Each structure stands twice: as structure tokens, then as C-alpha cells.
Amino acid sequence: MPTKQNNITPSPLDQAAAWLHAAQNVAALTGAGISVGSGIPDFRSSGGLWTVFSPEEYATIEVFHRDPKKAWELYRVLGRTLTGKQPNAAHRALADLENLDLLHGIITQNIDNLHQQAGSRRVFEIHGDHQHLQCLQCGNLVPVTPEHYHTAEIPLCPLCTFPLKPNVVLFGEDVRELDAIHTFIAACDLLLVIGTSAQVYPAAALPSMVYQQGGRIIECNHERSLPASLYTASSRRAALFLQGDVVRTLPQLAQTCRQQ
């Protein structure tokens, strides 16, 4: 007697886990949404940093050179927002996937260092980090302390006395590690897009780069943000969407991967 065919469609979690197991070089692109669960608001959301401080008025490299005292009004608020925050379950899930050898590196647009705190070892910080202050004159890096964000004094470089700025990329500055990121992405056959709309370049170009070289994409967001063409490609299923809060969906994905 012929057996019945199993036509059960796998759940998005099961499909995503299968894609991870099948891939050879997996990268994750993360944005502000992964850190909201750690108490760090999205800067662009209602009540976020950019609704209080206009980026053009406070967050450009030209403003820092012209009026570092004004620029530090923003930096102090930013520093106090980030200080003391801890990784959440989504950060830890990515570290778990790395330990399972199912994730091989993270490209983050965040500056909060939470991926490293969670245990991730290969992290490209495209916008810099808030763990250090940077001297634009001599290149010195100074470890940041809470006192830097609770004093009215502008910190000066201990080597050349030039005003220090947080080691983050301001508008008008080049992003960090781009050559290394492109080398990493060139071998990527699966990209996780997590907590980001992927609209700001150069990070916005990465999903298309992966797709064009034959790779797949798993988007983890509240709503779809990637181009519809990635979800409707007739030649192959190129993208998968895991909808919901990444603090919930990423641990579920890691657990599903362990069970497969």
C-alpha cells in the first residue's frame, strides 16, 4: 500500500533552524531593537535621543570640532543611558548560537558592548563603542568611567590635552571596520537581520550583498523591513521572517537549533 506523503509545512522556527544547520558561514546584523530589552531606547523612536538632541546640531564631527562643550551635552546623556546596562536573552541567544558553531560573527550598529558582555567573541562594531574616549589629534584611547558622564568638565587627552570624544562614529565620520566586514560578508551564505530596519548605509547594503551572492536571510523584527523582492523571489526562497520581540524569538531559535 502506498504511504501518504508528509505535507506538513515546517514552522518558521523549524525552518530557520534548518537553514542555520545547513549554512557554512553565518553572520548576524544587529541594530537598536536587540538592546531595547536591556533598557536602551531606540534613538529614533518617540522619546529617543534624536527627539531630544537634533543630530545635525549635536552629533556631527563638525560640531565637535567647533564646540566640544555643546557636543558633550549630548555625550553625557548618551553615556548615562548606556552605563550599567546588561545583556538580555537575545544577546545571550546569539552567544549560544556561536557556541553551537551556528553563528560565526556579528556586525552591530550598536555601541553598547552588550554582545561582548553576553559572550559573543567575534563582533564588528561598525559605529564604534562607548567603552573608550578617543583623541582625534594623537589617536589615544582612554577607558571611559562613569565620572566622565557626571561632570561639567570636558575630558582632555592625557597625552596632548586635546578634547576627547566618545569612541563612536559621529555624522560626517567614516564607519569602522568596513573592509573587514566586507571580507566577512563575502563568504556569508546566511545573514540574520535582527532588531534593525537595515535602512542606514553602509549596513543597509549587507542583506542585498548576501542575497546577490546566493545566500539566505532570516529577518527577526516586529515588522518586515527588508525589500519584498527577497520574500517573493521566484527562483528560490531567499528570506524568512521571524516576527516578534527578539528577546523571545531568538532564545526560541537557539533552543530549536539545539533540538534538531
Side-chain angles (χ1 to χ4, degrees), residues 13-26 96-97 99-104 189-190 192 216 218 240 252-260:
L13 276 173
D14 287 332
Q15 185 69 72
W19 283 12
L20 280 163
H21 279 290
Q24 298 298 311
N25 293 287
V26 182
D96 288 344
L97 290 175
N99 289 331
L100 293 169
D101 198 31
L102 297 177
L103 177 64
H104 306 102
D189 58 354
L190 176 59
L192 297 165
R216 289 168 161 169
I218 300 173
L240 182 68
Q252 290 175 339
L253 177 58
Q255 178 64 24
T256 304
C257 286
R258 284 192 290 268
Q259 294 171 345
Q260 284 194 357

Side-chain angles (χ1 to χ4, degrees), residues 188-190 208-216 236-238:
C188 175
D189 58 354
L190 176 59
S208 293
M209 291 173 63
V210 171
Y211 170 71
Q212 289 168 5
Q213 63 200 27
R216 289 168 161 169
R236 59 189 170 89
R237 190 176 183 190

Side-chain angles (χ1 to χ4, degrees), residues 173-212:
E173 286 190 289
D174 292 333
V175 298
R176 311 283 173 80
E177 304 190 271
L178 194 57
D179 288 343
I181 289 169
H182 282 164
T183 299
F184 177 46
I185 285 294
C188 175
D189 58 354
L190 176 59
L191 177 67
L192 297 165
V193 177
I194 301 167
T196 175
S197 61
Q199 301 297 313
V200 178
Y201 285 86
L206 300 181
S208 293
M209 291 173 63
V210 171
Y211 170 71
Q212 289 168 5

Side-chain angles (χ1 to χ4, degrees), residues 165-177:
K165 65 175 278 291
N167 187 37
V168 300
V169 174
L170 302 179
F171 292 95
E173 286 190 289
D174 292 333
V175 298
R176 311 283 173 80
E177 304 190 271

Side-chain angles (χ1 to χ4, degrees), residues 58-167:
Y58 289 91
T60 70
I61 190 62
E62 292 80 8
V63 169
F64 175 79
H65 283 300
R66 183 175 64 249
D67 191 353
K69 183 177 181 180
K70 180 175 184 176
W72 264 93
E73 294 178 25
L74 164 65
Y75 303 156
R76 290 188 190 96
V77 174
L78 173 62
R80 290 195 294 266
T81 299
L82 298 178
T83 298
K85 297 300 189 291
Q86 298 297 316
N88 62 54
H91 297 105
R92 293 191 293 271
L94 292 184
D96 288 344
L97 290 175
E98 183 179 355
N99 289 331
L100 293 169
D101 198 31
L102 297 177
L103 177 64
H104 306 102
I106 298 170
I107 303 159
T108 186
Q109 300 169 87
N110 300 336
I111 59 173
D112 50 37
N113 199 243
L114 295 183
H115 286 302
Q116 293 91 328
Q117 290 185 45
S120 294
R121 296 181 294 275
R122 191 180 189 189
V123 182
F124 299 92
E125 294 176 304
I126 197 168
H127 292 154
D129 74 90
H130 92 109
Q131 305 298 303
H132 299 88
L133 301 181
Q134 171 194 27
C135 179
L136 295 178
Q137 181 156 285
C138 73
N140 187 29
L141 287 178
V142 177
V144 75
T145 68
E147 289 73 22
H148 285 124
Y149 299 128
H150 291 86
T151 177
E153 300 296 325
I154 299 174
L156 303 178
C157 177
L159 299 182
C160 69
T161 70
F162 195 79
L164 293 169
K165 65 175 278 291
N167 187 37

